[in-house]
Amino acid sequence: MMLLSFLLLWGLRQSIHSTADRELKGKMDAVTAMMQVSVPKLSLAELEDEFREQSSLGGDLIQVKSSDGGWVFRSPSTQQFAPELVKIASADQPGVHETETKGKRYRVLTQPLEIGGRKYLVQVAANISDFAELQRKFFWLTMLLIPLMIVGASTGGYWLSGRAFKPVTTIIEKARSINATNLSSRLAVSGNKDELHKLSETLNGMLDRIESSFKKVQQFSDDASHELRTPISLIRTTAELALRRERDPETYRTALNEILIESEKTSEMIESLLVLARSDASSQPQLPLLKTDIAAIVRDCCNKVAPFTQSRELSHVVDLPSTPTVILGDAKFLERLLLLILDNAIKYSHPGGQIRTKLERIAGSVTVTVEDTGIGISEEDLPRIFERFYRADKARSRDGAGAGLGLSIAKWIADMHHAELLVASSVGQGSSFTIRFPQISVE
Ligand code: ADP
């Protein structure tokens, strides 16, 4: 506002000056033209008459001095009201000046003139007091208006910004009130499709994601503590029972054996939980995938499980190519994945059943399939078997059934390898698990 006021004042001043200067220039032209014609041929008295006529026409503020210092003409007003003009004329300064005398402001144009070898100094002036007054009034008006405008603009601005930010304040307050206990509450979304609408929607989306992760973590820790409680209380009860009174060495051995089995199961479960917790922590695939011969890994795993298949009287048919089949993967994790699947096939098979493991290349991809003729999985269980801690009812009652973490780990490892883990099963007939590595990146 100050800049605008300054510019307006400057503009007003420039406009007054240019108007006054134009008028002065006109006057000066008339006087000099008259002098050019009259000075050579008229006497001083005649010349004075001529000037008088000019000065009355041209606003009465004219004076002419010759180079010898004498006045050629001074209009009455110039003599009477503007002695300052005399000063300027004697100072011999050509150009435009402003001067103030007797409370009036004049703009003065001084111009040297030479006629017939004699030099003159011609001065015409214009009274610009009214304009100066206008300028002064304008200046004070602005000085008065600026603080008023500042106060007005500040108050108005404060009120307006308060109104404009009201929805933001509401969002802030609501967002502040959301914590772990009310994670399901959401921010109100305004009907207008503006930036605030987008902000609320974005924050709500973020809350959705946080809530679902939070629920997963909660569910996971609930399940984990529940699952760990059972074997630990079993260990405790066995030890307590054994210690209650003196017993024979055989009973102690049996008790210790039970404790050992339970502790092994527990430590296995803790290890699985750690793998899953780590998989949750890393959002990006972290495994370094190297050229790996999957056929060799499958062969190794089949050899490793041979004692178990034999002890459960299962026949294991292994159908592998004789040449290496290279994929990009992590050998340690791939082995774990296969062992988990093979372990399930053994656990959930009836004695005398058959397991068939094969490796095939189908349309540029490598698939490993483990089929069994075991108990099978019901249709309602099938979509849930990859969930953590999920065990089908039949599996729960079986000896050696795990904690329901194996397949979720298997799924995670498959994901890390960009592989699909597929299952087909029918109750009483058996199951078939297939790991399909999307494509052979390296041969
Ligand atoms: P668990 O440790 O109980 O085996 P998993 O995550 O490995 O847990 O498997 C989850 C559930 O899927 C098992 O409890 C079982 O009900 C079912 N399951 C997995 N593999 C087989 C299979 N080969 N045959 C029948 N059921 C299976």
Side-chain angles (χ1 to χ4, degrees), residues 183-218:
L183 256 186
S184 52
S185 46
R186 293 288 175 271
L187 307 172
V189 179
S190 69
N192 329 330
K193 298 262 175 220
D194 55 9
E195 261 42 48
L196 291 174
H197 173 93
K198 276 189 219 152
L199 178 70
S200 304
E201 274 194 338
T202 311
L203 288 175
N204 281 345
M206 188 182 77
L207 283 170
D208 286 344
R209 292 193 295 278
I210 292 176
E211 193 190 4
S212 95
S213 309
F214 191 78
K215 273 190 180 153
K216 262 194 220 160
V217 171
Q218 215 165 24

Side-chain angles (χ1 to χ4, degrees), residues 11-12 47 107 125 211 223-224 248 306 343 438:
L12 183 69
L47 195 62
R107 198 158 166 85
E211 193 190 4
D223 291 348
D248 58 286
D343 182 51

Side-chain angles (χ1 to χ4, degrees), residues 340-341 343-349 372 374-377 381 384-387 389-396 400-409 425 430-433:
L340 285 165
I341 308 267
D343 182 51
N344 278 350
I346 297 165
K347 269 195 305 197
Y348 302 115
S349 283
D372 62 61
I375 60 169
I377 306 163
D381 289 331
R384 302 197 59 195
I385 54 167
F386 295 105
E387 286 176 19
F389 297 108
Y390 188 80
R391 280 170 291 170
D393 276 345
K394 271 189 213 146
R396 276 173 207 273
L405 292 173
L407 285 182
S408 36
I409 295 177
S425 184
S431 317
S432 158
F433 284 83

Side-chain angles (χ1 to χ4, degrees), residues 338 340-342 344-345 348 356 358 367-372 377 382 385-386 407 410 420-425 430-436:
L338 276 154
L340 285 165
I341 308 267
L342 283 167
N344 278 350
Y348 302 115
R356 195 183 154 86
K358 62 179 175 202
T367 60
V368 178
T369 313
V370 176
E371 284 169 2
D372 62 61
I377 306 163
L382 214 49
I385 54 167
F386 295 105
L407 285 182
E420 277 178 283
L421 181 52
L422 309 162
V423 57
S425 184
S431 317
S432 158
F433 284 83
T434 304
I435 313 155
R436 185 187 295 151

Side-chain angles (χ1 to χ4, degrees), residues 306-359:
F308 304 103
T309 46
Q310 276 158 22
S311 72
R312 287 188 67 96
E313 295 162 31
L314 299 165
S315 67
H316 192 178
V317 181
V318 182
D319 183 3
L320 297 174
S322 51
T323 50
T325 308
V326 180
I327 58 156
L328 278 184
D330 179 295
K332 219 171 92 221
F333 277 96
L334 285 174
E335 185 185 301
R336 187 167 194 152
L337 165 63
L338 276 154
L339 285 177
L340 285 165
I341 308 267
L342 283 167
D343 182 51
N344 278 350
I346 297 165
K347 269 195 305 197
Y348 302 115
S349 283
H350 305 292
Q354 194 193 58
I355 297 174
R356 195 183 154 86
T357 304
K358 62 179 175 202
L359 192 150

Side-chain angles (χ1 to χ4, degrees), residues 266-287:
T266 315
S267 61
E268 254 171 46
M269 196 197 298
I270 290 173
E271 205 191 317
S272 304
L273 285 172
L274 275 176
V275 172
L276 287 171
R278 247 177 254 139
S279 77
D280 284 345
S282 57
S283 54
Q284 293 293 317
Q286 299 270 309
L287 296 182

